[in-house]
């Protein structure tokens, strides 16, 4: 098991359909194909070409073109995607949104086929499918299994499917049957010979009874007697252990035992038969795939960003009307206190604008965990686009706030300080977004994340230097003050404003300016370097929070798994 990557050579397909609802069926499969790569197709094609030349065989032109197209690495649109769509009967809904609880999309049966198709487009040739009929009617289950049968027979794959009470039509689609009971294998072999085995054991399936129902009941103590066919012998309950032992001596069981008992000669194996790389393509291609998907999702969710921008615009107008320049004087300490309130309100609004990252991150975590565990991409290639692509939106949002409020409020009319305030608030927004993404990735539950996120905001604001002055914070809480990113942003924006020319008036009976006096009265630092110290702290916290976000995505699992483990314990 250490000579190859098992979960990319053989894929497990869950009974739960976890997808991003905003993507179409074709986009979902195309992203899966792009991440998983061509797998062993290129090496297998090279081996096939070598053997064809050795045997002097000229391949069919159409098949040759298809195989070469399927083995071409680095394609954004893979021909295999269209092929799997056709095999699974999904071409009719290829351009339809998958959908979720809030977005109308494809049907349950089509969604189940999309879950399967995600792995069919990759290199895995063995599929382990867990109760894929959950929540589906018998007709849909038949269609799905029939589609899988086409895939298995056309592409020479293997599908091991667990089903509960399949209909006779669905049962007849299978080539082989594995009957499990009480943890033991009762029968494993061709479907056509399963009834022969039980007839040898004295049990016969009535004509009126479906074979699948018969197989589920014949090992049950409650239902077994009705199938007893030996009229000359009294009925005795046959245990599962006896069935299992009898199967070993049945000709199907003996043949299976001989096959398993013969070691496989690895000299007959081609190196490309198993997948040996953890990821299907290079790091650069994986990053490009995640960037293109994140950009597409941002366009599909553009309403969220437009709504955030409108919300910030409205709050900027409220701030303008509340702190209007005709009522904002710069003559005394009390006037300065009003300005500190306006600056604090700006920091609060810019930070709170990133709160939506919590719900947006958690909404995609289930899909991320599934694709991460299947080896689609590393966590960093998912985390980087989530952060980097939203930086331009930050520039626009902060620009709207500063353009509306700076001169309308009456801050220092200096272009340099205008752009310095804009730059600082950009970094504050980035810091807040990284913080809320980290909270979402560590909480992994919307209720826990919202509760904890609100608590963190309350703690950061209260210990940021405005609600409580630095001198008023108790000694045993002062460490929170120095760890609070709000403190650095608050001091930076205060220093940028109150060391400006609008506040250089010398107070009576004093040698210090009005701006310095305002800063001292509120417990803020008065040195000019605190602006750049605050900018540097914002950059550092942004990198720290996004690094923590990446670590959480790498090492933590879905909170559901922890609940299952706790209940099991």
């Amino acid at each position: 098991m250490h000579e190859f990557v098992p979960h990319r050579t053989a894929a497990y397909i869950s009974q739960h359909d976890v997808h991003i609802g905003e993507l179409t069926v074709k986009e979902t499969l195309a992203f899966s194909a792009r991440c998983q790569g061509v797998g062993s197709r290129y090496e297998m094609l090279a081996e096939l070409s070598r053997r064809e030349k050795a045997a002097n065989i000229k391949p069919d032109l159409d098949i040759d073109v298809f195989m070469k197209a399927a083995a071409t690495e680095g394609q954004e649109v893979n021909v295999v995607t269209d092929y799997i769509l056709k095999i699974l009967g999904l071409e009719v809904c290829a351009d339809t949104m998958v959908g979720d609880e809030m977005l109308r999309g494809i049907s349950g049966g089509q969604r189940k086929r999309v879950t399967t198709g995600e792995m069919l487009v990759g290199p895995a040739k063995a599929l382990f499918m867990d109760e894929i009929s959950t929540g589906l009617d018998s007709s849909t289950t038949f269609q799905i299994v029939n589609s899988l049968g086409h895939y298995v027979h056309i592409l020479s794959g293997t599908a091991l499917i667990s089903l509960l009470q399949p209909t006779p039509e669905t049962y007849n689609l299978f080539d082989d049957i594995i009957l499990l009971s009480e943890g033991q294998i009762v029968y494993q072999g061709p479907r056509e010979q399963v009834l022969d085995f039980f007839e040898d054991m004295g049990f016969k399936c009535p004509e009126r009874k479906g074979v699948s129902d018969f197989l589920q009941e014949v090992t049950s103590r409650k239902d077994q007697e009705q199938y007893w066919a030996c009229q000359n012998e009294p009925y005795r309950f046959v245990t599962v252990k006896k069935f299992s032992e009898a199967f070993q001596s049945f000709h199907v069981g003996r043949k299976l035992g001989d096959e398993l008992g013969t070691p496989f000669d690895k000299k007959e194996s081609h190196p490309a038969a198993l997948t040996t790389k953890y990821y299907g393509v290079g790091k650069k291609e994986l990053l490009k795939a995640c960037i293109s998907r994140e950009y597409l999702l941002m366009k599909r969710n553009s309403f969220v960003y437009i709504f955030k921008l409108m919300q910030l615009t409205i709050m900027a107008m409220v701030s303008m009307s509340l702190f209007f320049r005709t009522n904002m004087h710069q003559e005394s300490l009390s006037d300065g206190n009003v300005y500190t309130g306006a600056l604090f309100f700006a920091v609060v609004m810019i930070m709170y604008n990133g709160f939506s990252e919590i719900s947006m991150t958690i909404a995609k975590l289930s899909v991320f965990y599934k694709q991460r565990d299947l080896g689609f991409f590393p966590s960093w290639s998912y985390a980087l686009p989530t952060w980097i692509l939203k930086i331009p939106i930050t520039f626009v949002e902060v620009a709207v706030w500063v353009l509306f409020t700076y001169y309308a409020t009456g801050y220092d009319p200096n272009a340099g300080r205008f752009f310095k305030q804009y730059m600082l608030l950009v970094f504050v927004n980035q810091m807040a977004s990284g913080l809320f993404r980290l909270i979402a990735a560590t909480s992994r539950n919307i209720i826990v994340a919202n509760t904890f996120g609100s608590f963190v905001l309350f703690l950061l604001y209260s210990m940021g230097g405005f609600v409580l002055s630095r001198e008023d914070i108790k000694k045993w809480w002062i460490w929170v003050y120095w760890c609070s990113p709000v403190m650095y942003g608050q001091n930076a924006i205060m220093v940028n404003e109150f060391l400006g020319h609008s506040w250089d008036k010398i107070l009576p009976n004093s040698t210090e300016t009005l701006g310095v006096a305002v800063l001292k009265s509120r417990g803020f630092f008065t040195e000019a370097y605190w602006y750049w110290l605050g900018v540097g702290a914002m950059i550092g916290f942004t990198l720290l929070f996004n690094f923590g976000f990446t670590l959480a995505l790498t090492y933590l699992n879905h909170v559901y798994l922890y609940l299952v483990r706790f209940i099991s314990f």
Side-chain angles (χ1 to χ4, degrees):
M1 297 293 283
H2 300 287
E3 297 177 5
F4 66 105
V5 183
H7 67 274
R8 294 198 69 241
T9 302
Y12 169 76
I13 299 176
S14 172
Q15 60 180 310
H16 303 293
D17 304 315
V18 183
H19 302 289
I20 297 178
E22 291 86 356
L23 295 180
T24 65
V25 172
K26 188 172 183 178
E27 289 166 349
T28 302
L29 298 189
F31 177 78
S32 175
R34 191 175 177 185
C35 289
Q36 296 185 78
V38 298
S40 60
R41 296 191 190 108
Y42 180 80
E43 291 84 357
M44 294 295 285
L45 181 61
E47 175 67 13
L48 180 62
S49 298
R50 186 188 66 80
R51 295 186 183 184
E52 286 175 344
K53 290 179 181 179
N56 197 23
I57 298 175
K58 186 177 181 180
D60 180 88
L61 184 60
D62 292 336
I63 296 178
D64 189 55
V65 170
F66 170 77
M67 293 185 67
K68 287 178 179 178
T72 303
E73 191 172 359
Q75 299 180 100
E76 293 190 12
V77 180
N78 198 320
V79 67
V80 175
T81 302
D82 297 327
Y83 190 53
I84 296 300
L85 284 171
K86 186 72 175 179
I87 290 179
L88 295 180
L90 292 171
E91 70 275 9
V92 295
C93 60
D95 298 319
T96 305
M97 298 284 185
V98 174
D100 51 27
E101 293 84 355
M102 300 297 293
L103 180 65
R104 184 175 181 180
I106 58 179
S107 66
Q110 291 169 334
R111 193 190 306 270
K112 190 71 67 175
R113 276 176 273 182
V114 171
T115 303
T116 305
E118 266 191 312
M119 303 312 301
L120 294 187
V121 296
K125 292 299 181 183
L127 306 178
F128 295 86
M129 311 182 70
D130 183 14
E131 295 184 13
I132 60 172
S133 60
T134 302
L136 303 179
D137 56 63
S138 57
S139 175
T140 304
T141 303
F142 173 82
Q143 294 175 8
I144 294 173
V145 175
N146 190 36
S147 300
L148 289 171
H150 292 321
Y151 161 79
V152 167
H153 294 137
I154 293 173
L155 299 180
S156 297
T158 301
L160 181 62
I161 307 174
S162 64
L163 288 179
L164 296 178
Q165 296 180 323
T167 60
E169 294 80 12
T170 303
Y171 170 82
N172 291 330
L173 294 174
F174 286 88
D175 301 314
D176 296 286
I177 298 296
I178 300 177
L179 180 60
L180 299 174
S181 182
E182 299 178 8
Q184 299 186 59
I185 295 179
V186 176
Y187 177 86
Q188 179 179 349
R191 171 177 53 83
E192 295 82 1
Q193 299 180 26
V194 64
L195 294 181
D196 296 338
F197 166 68
F198 284 102
E199 286 183 6
D200 286 351
M201 297 295 295
F203 298 94
K204 187 174 182 180
C205 177
E207 294 182 3
R208 57 178 171 79
K209 194 75 172 181
V211 179
S212 59
D213 294 331
F214 165 76
L215 294 178
Q216 292 182 90
E217 296 176 358
V218 72
T219 57
S220 169
R221 181 181 293 272
K222 179 181 177 181
D223 302 311
Q224 188 184 88
E225 185 176 359
Q226 61 181 311
Y227 301 116
W228 183 251
C230 297
Q231 303 296 332
N232 300 328
E233 298 179 18
Y235 165 73
R236 291 182 181 179
F237 175 68
V238 180
T239 63
V240 172
K241 185 177 181 180
K242 290 182 179 179
F243 275 125
S244 181
E245 292 173 350
F247 175 69
Q248 305 300 323
S249 59
F250 188 61
H251 67 90
V252 175
R254 291 199 307 270
K255 181 180 178 182
L256 179 64
D258 293 340
E259 292 177 354
L260 295 176
T262 304
F264 178 73
D265 187 2
K266 290 189 176 181
K267 294 179 181 179
E268 301 293 329
S269 173
H270 191 273
L274 300 175
T275 305
T276 56
K277 295 181 180 179
Y278 194 85
Y279 297 112
V281 293
K283 297 178 181 179
K284 183 178 180 181
E285 286 297 324
L286 289 175
L287 183 60
K288 287 171 60 179
C290 291
I291 287 175
S292 63
R293 185 182 69 165
E294 185 65 27
Y295 178 70
L296 179 62
L297 289 174
M298 288 175 64
K299 289 199 298 183
R300 297 274 166 83
N301 292 316
S302 57
F303 170 77
V304 175
Y305 301 103
I306 294 173
F307 181 83
K308 286 174 58 181
L309 190 62
M310 294 302 299
Q311 174 183 274
L312 206 59
T313 303
I314 293 173
M315 294 308 300
M317 292 180 177
V318 171
S319 178
M320 287 168 53
S321 61
L322 185 62
F323 302 105
F324 197 60
R325 63 182 303 140
T326 56
N327 298 320
M328 301 287 286
H329 307 292
Q330 298 166 335
E331 303 295 334
S332 63
L333 289 177
S334 59
D335 294 336
N337 288 332
V338 178
Y339 273 91
T340 60
L343 292 170
F344 175 72
F345 184 69
V347 173
V348 168
M349 287 309 305
I350 294 299
M351 276 198 66
Y352 191 78
N353 199 52
F355 200 83
S356 60
E357 288 292 333
I358 289 182
S359 57
M360 294 176 67
T361 301
I362 290 180
K364 297 185 291 185
L365 276 184
S366 297
V367 179
F368 163 77
Y369 288 132
K370 181 187 77 170
Q371 295 179 342
R372 179 200 67 180
D373 295 340
L374 290 172
F376 278 29
F377 47 73
S379 299
W380 62 265
S381 67
Y382 173 85
L384 275 180
T386 305
W387 167 32
I388 301 298
L389 290 182
K390 294 178 182 177
I391 293 179
I393 297 177
T394 298
F395 281 103
V396 175
E397 291 175 345
V398 176
V400 168
W401 177 270
V402 175
L403 288 173
F404 270 85
T405 62
Y406 193 88
Y407 290 107
T409 302
Y411 294 125
D412 188 64
N414 180 282
R417 297 191 183 276
F418 172 86
F419 286 108
K420 285 170 72 176
Q421 184 184 111
Y422 171 72
M423 182 174 67
L424 176 67
L425 291 179
V426 166
F427 289 124
V428 168
N429 185 278
Q430 281 295 299
M431 178 274 298
S433 298
L435 172 63
F436 293 127
R437 278 193 292 267
L438 175 60
I439 291 173
T442 51
S443 302
R444 292 157 290 160
N445 179 276
I446 189 64
I447 298 175
V448 176
N450 282 331
T451 304
F452 185 62
S454 301
F455 170 74
V456 169
L457 275 180
F458 166 76
L459 190 64
L460 294 181
Y461 289 154
S462 60
M463 296 295 173
F466 179 82
V467 177
L468 287 176
S469 175
R470 177 162 45 98
E471 289 81 6
D472 296 332
I473 300 176
K474 302 298 181 181
K475 292 182 179 180
W476 55 85
W477 274 111
I478 197 65
W479 63 272
V480 181
Y481 173 82
W482 290 106
C483 293
S484 172
V486 175
M487 182 275 287
Y488 295 95
Q490 196 70 49
N491 274 282
I493 199 170
M494 295 295 179
V495 165
N496 180 62
E497 171 61 25
F498 289 106
L499 295 186
H501 295 300
S502 299
W503 301 91
D504 58 2
K505 175 184 177 182
I506 303 297
L507 293 176
N509 303 322
S510 175
T511 59
E512 59 187 21
T513 63
L514 175 60
V516 172
V518 172
L519 291 174
K520 286 184 176 180
S521 68
R522 300 292 302 182
F524 295 111
F525 296 97
T526 58
E527 294 81 5
Y529 66 78
W530 264 93
Y531 172 81
W532 296 109
L533 187 63
V535 170
M538 291 300 101
I539 296 174
F541 277 114
T542 301
L543 296 175
L544 177 65
F545 292 148
N546 283 285
F547 180 69
F549 173 58
T550 305
L551 289 181
L553 293 179
T554 304
Y555 295 107
L556 296 182
N557 292 323
H558 198 290
V559 69
Y560 170 76
L561 297 179
Y562 289 98
L563 291 176
V564 170
R565 291 170 186 170
F566 176 76
I567 294 171
S568 301
F569 176 76

